Amino acid sequence: LIIAEAALETVPKNISRHASVTRHATRKGKAGTEILLDRSYHHKAMLMLDNADRRGRPDLVHFALLEAVSTPLYRMGLLRIYVHSIADKVIFLHEKVRLPKSYFRFEGLMEELIKEGQIRSDSDLLMEIKNMRFADLLSEIKPSKVIGLSRRGIKSDATKIATMAKEDAVLVVGGFPRGHFSARVAAGMHQIYSISDYSLEAHVVIARVLYECEKLVK
Ligand SMILES: C[S@@+](CC[C@H](N)C(=O)[O-])C[C@H]1O[C@@H](n2cnc3c(N)ncnc32)[C@H](O)[C@@H]1O
């Protein structure tokens, strides 16, 4: 599973001295560029950013990841999870990682990951982050097929998608609040499918498709 173009990044340098950022960063005892960009705090500063409506929603990524890591499929070691961010960084979740359910703790963990490059527990590597474009990630994991999910895709359903994904395919769900995959990311997909006429939250799409995948391995 790839959560692509995810709205999870630290505050970009060009807005790190904006009052809404410095106030928030000072309260957290961190530098402006060390905290996660968050629309609920940095709305005014974000007006200066390109693509602002697709950024600053790390809470959506938290929800989507909690959904994926809580599935039996992941706990059985049958699912690999990657977060490709809008800033072209990729988070690799290693096997059977548990994530904090509290958003406050998740935010701290992501800030630490971006700063240190990895998270360890004793000798085990739990997560790491690398500078990588979506295309670079695909070259590294070499899936048999890249299946995108979007309301704008070809009409299908979760069961058919799970069947198509069976042999080492990658499922790509957007980690952004609105809009669609960029042309750059969509170009890496073999096909894009829709599972509903509604625009669904990423975590709902993840839950539905992974559940169907799970039924195939039982
Ligand atoms: C909040 S949505 C992004 C909004 C976008 N307007 C949309 O409907 O796809 C987050 C992600 O959920 C997935 N998604 C949302 N609705 C979907 C649908 N009807 N079928 C398949 N995937 C969907 C897509 O991967 C999308 O990028």
Side-chain angles (χ1 to χ4, degrees):
L1 172 71
I2 303 180
I3 300 173
E5 298 186 275
L8 185 152
E9 61 184 318
T10 44
V11 170
K13 219 171 176 178
N14 64 323
I15 62 163
S16 64
R17 290 178 179 271
H18 188 280
S20 65
V21 174
T22 50
R23 212 179 308 125
H24 186 205
T26 307
R27 235 182 12 246
K28 289 172 62 112
K30 294 185 177 182
T33 51
E34 286 176 352
I35 64 172
L36 293 189
L37 181 69
D38 190 327
R39 170 168 300 284
S40 44
Y41 296 102
H42 315 134
H43 176 72
K44 281 205 177 125
M46 285 182 66
L47 297 173
M48 293 188 271
L49 292 180
D50 293 336
N51 259 336
D53 59 336
R54 287 157 58 82
R55 300 169 70 174
R57 290 297 308 273
D59 56 318
L60 297 181
V61 185
H62 182 220
F63 254 74
L65 278 178
L66 277 182
E67 182 62 60
V69 301
S70 308
T71 58
L73 199 65
Y74 178 69
R75 288 162 60 185
M76 287 186 281
L78 296 173
L79 172 70
R80 273 178 288 153
I81 305 171
Y82 309 88
V83 180
H84 160 262
S85 79
I86 193 126
D88 274 339
K89 289 178 190 282
V90 174
I91 299 172
F92 293 74
L93 261 76
H94 290 273
E95 272 197 25
K96 301 177 190 175
V97 167
R98 294 169 69 118
L99 288 172
K101 295 215 170 41
S102 133
Y103 176 71
F104 171 73
R105 290 190 48 224
F106 173 78
E107 181 185 55
L109 188 72
M110 291 299 112
E111 288 169 349
E112 186 186 340
L113 174 65
I114 295 171
K115 189 173 178 191
E116 306 297 338
Q118 50 178 239
I119 301 285
R120 287 185 171 274
S121 159
D122 303 322
S123 58
D124 295 335
L125 183 58
L126 302 180
M127 277 179 238
E128 56 186 325
I129 188 163
K130 297 180 188 172
N131 290 323
M132 235 184 202
R133 292 169 307 169
F134 183 74
D136 302 326
L137 174 61
L138 294 182
S139 308
E140 178 155 331
I141 58 185
K142 297 185 178 60
S144 59
K145 208 185 288 170
V146 183
I147 302 171
L149 290 153
S150 164
R151 184 179 52 82
R152 280 194 185 165
I154 300 165
K155 280 199 176 176
S156 185
D157 60 57
T159 316
K160 286 185 195 148
I161 290 164
T163 311
M164 288 186 262
K166 222 171 146 190
E167 309 290 336
D168 271 342
V170 141
L171 294 167
V172 189
V173 174
F176 40 84
R178 55 179 59 86
H180 296 278
F181 293 117
S182 66
R184 208 158 60 102
V185 165
M189 298 172 187
H190 293 109
Q191 207 57 267
I192 302 182
Y193 295 104
S194 166
I195 61 163
S196 165
D197 291 336
Y198 288 92
S199 175
L200 304 170
E201 295 289 328
H203 67 94
V204 174
V205 176
I206 290 172
R208 292 186 179 195
V209 178
L210 294 187
Y211 181 48
E212 296 304 325
C213 292
E214 213 173 278
K215 287 189 200 163
L216 297 177
V217 296
K218 274 180 187 159

